[in-house]
């Protein structure tokens, strides 16, 4: 026998209030990945351009929370499913639009498919990349983009958990191409003691992924709206007062 309508309605209200209370009481958790120079761990401390923007917003809103670096797939899963989770640096795409509560832009991004100067691959379009082995990162926007265009993980896409793995794959001829954010590609190449202008070839620009508004911070859907609005206001404040631009000038 079913419950009376008024009891069903009351049960629904109680469940909603319980969920809202749980979300409000859950400590803020900030997750990211190792994506230098945007977010990275140096001497046991999380730093980078995007990290400094997030820290500036935290200071502006008067909140404190540890930043936890982890593989992107894990960070992404937490932000999809848990309450009070802030994730960065995340690219805002149509496919992701309804999955998160977006705070705003924290950094520009340009994406390319790279090859090596001593093994250049000429690409006139993305379709030309089919049949080549391409290094990707598990669940990052580059991999998701290529999957949406018909590329298959384990066949043409060789997925890793860390960005530096893909640079090494390209160097030792495990793959022919590497899809990467430009600043990350340049940083990893220099970290290996090499000149990007001499080592890397931009085989194909990816304008669909590239934008001055490319990298964002976003909250999980189960985060209270007032928390999201507080961070939006904080980000807008550091944009107005020059803190945001000063951080970008330091890193770009």
């Amino acid at each position: 026998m079913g419950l009376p309508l008024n009891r069903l309605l009351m049960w629904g209200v109680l469940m909603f209030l319980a969920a809202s209370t749980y979300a409000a009481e859950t400590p803020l958790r900030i997750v990211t990945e190792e994506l230098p120079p945007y977010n990275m761990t140096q001497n046991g401390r999380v730093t980078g351009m995007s990290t400094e923007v997030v820290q500036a917003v935290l200071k502006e809103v008067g909140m404190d929370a540890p930043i936890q670096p982890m593989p992107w797939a894990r960070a992404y899963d937490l932000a999809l499913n848990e309450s009070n989770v802030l994730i960065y640096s995340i690219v805002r795409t149509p496919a992701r639009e309804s999955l998160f509560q977006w705070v705003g832009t924290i950094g520009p991004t340009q994406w390319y498919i790279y090859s090596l100067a001593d093994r250049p691959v000429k690409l006139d379009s993305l379709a030309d990349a089919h049949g080549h082995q391409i290094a990707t990162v598990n669940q990052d926007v580059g991999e998701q983009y290529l999957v949406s265009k018909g590329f298959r993980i384990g066949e043409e896409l060789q997925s890793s958990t860390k960005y530096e793995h893909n640079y090494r794959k390209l160097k030792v001829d495990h793959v022919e191409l590497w899809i990467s954010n430009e600043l990350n590609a340049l940083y990893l190449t220099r970290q290996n003691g090499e000149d990007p202008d001499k080592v890397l070839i931009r085989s194909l620009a990816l304008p669909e992924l590239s934008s001055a508004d490319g990298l964002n911070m976003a909250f999980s859907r189960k985060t209270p709206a007032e928390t999201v609005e507080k961070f939006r206001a904080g980000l807008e404040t550091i944009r107005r007062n020059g803190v945001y631009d000063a951080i970008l000038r330091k890193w770009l």
Side-chain angles (χ1 to χ4, degrees):
M1 181 180 291
L3 291 172
L5 181 59
N6 62 337
R7 291 185 64 188
L8 282 172
L9 291 172
M10 180 62 70
W11 181 83
V13 170
L14 290 174
M15 290 297 292
F16 174 78
L17 291 175
S20 299
T21 301
Y22 174 78
E25 293 176 352
T26 304
L28 175 64
R29 188 172 185 181
I30 305 175
V31 296
T32 188
E33 62 176 333
E34 297 288 341
L35 177 63
Y38 294 100
N39 6 285
M40 56 188 174
T41 304
Q42 289 184 338
N43 302 318
R45 186 175 67 91
V46 186
T47 185
M49 184 175 76
S50 296
T51 299
E52 289 194 7
V53 174
V54 171
Q55 290 169 335
V57 173
L58 284 168
K59 182 178 179 181
E60 182 63 36
V61 301
M63 295 180 68
D64 188 28
I67 297 173
Q68 300 173 282
M70 60 186 67
W72 181 252
R74 183 179 170 215
Y76 192 80
D77 184 68
L78 285 171
L80 278 178
N81 297 298
E82 300 295 330
S83 61
N84 271 3
V85 176
L86 175 67
I87 186 171
Y88 77 99
S89 302
I90 181 168
V91 178
R92 188 172 185 171
T93 66
R96 291 172 170 177
E97 185 66 31
S98 64
L99 302 179
F100 303 96
Q101 301 184 78
W102 298 91
V103 175
T105 300
I106 58 174
T109 183
Q110 298 291 322
W111 280 79
Y112 295 91
I113 294 179
Y114 291 94
S115 60
L116 285 181
D118 59 1
R119 288 185 277 109
V121 178
K122 186 178 185 299
L123 301 176
D124 293 321
S125 68
L126 188 59
D128 293 340
H130 281 290
H132 294 283
Q133 294 294 298
I134 308 170
T136 63
V137 168
N138 187 22
Q139 287 293 339
D140 92 330
V141 70
E143 183 176 275
Q144 290 180 344
Y145 173 74
L146 292 179
V147 168
S148 75
K149 300 299 183 181
F151 292 82
R152 294 181 179 275
I153 297 173
E155 295 180 11
E156 295 166 311
L157 306 184
Q158 301 305 318
S159 188
S160 297
T161 58
K162 295 183 177 181
Y163 289 87
E164 57 264 33
H165 291 171
N166 288 337
Y167 177 75
R168 293 172 192 151
K169 284 180 183 179
L170 187 67
K171 287 290 292 182
V172 300
D173 203 17
H174 285 176
V175 296
E176 302 157 279
L177 299 169
W178 173 30
I179 184 170
S180 179
N181 172 292
E182 182 179 39
L183 282 186
N184 179 245
L186 300 181
Y187 180 89
L188 291 177
T189 304
R190 292 181 182 125
Q191 284 295 103
N192 279 269
E194 296 172 297
D195 183 347
D197 291 334
K198 296 178 180 178
V199 175
L200 294 178
I201 296 291
R202 295 179 179 89
S203 293
L204 187 69
L206 299 172
E208 287 184 78
L209 296 180
S210 303
S211 169
D213 302 327
L215 296 178
N216 289 256
M217 54 197 296
F219 277 102
S220 56
R221 296 298 304 176
K222 297 178 183 178
T223 302
E226 57 267 28
T227 300
V228 181
E229 288 303 322
K230 181 183 292 187
F231 273 72
R232 285 174 180 158
L235 179 58
E236 180 59 31
T237 297
I238 69 165
R239 282 180 166 278
R240 286 199 313 267
N241 65 19
V243 170
Y244 176 84
D245 287 339
I247 293 171
L248 262 60
R249 284 195 301 270
K250 173 183 173 182
W251 289 94
L252 292 179

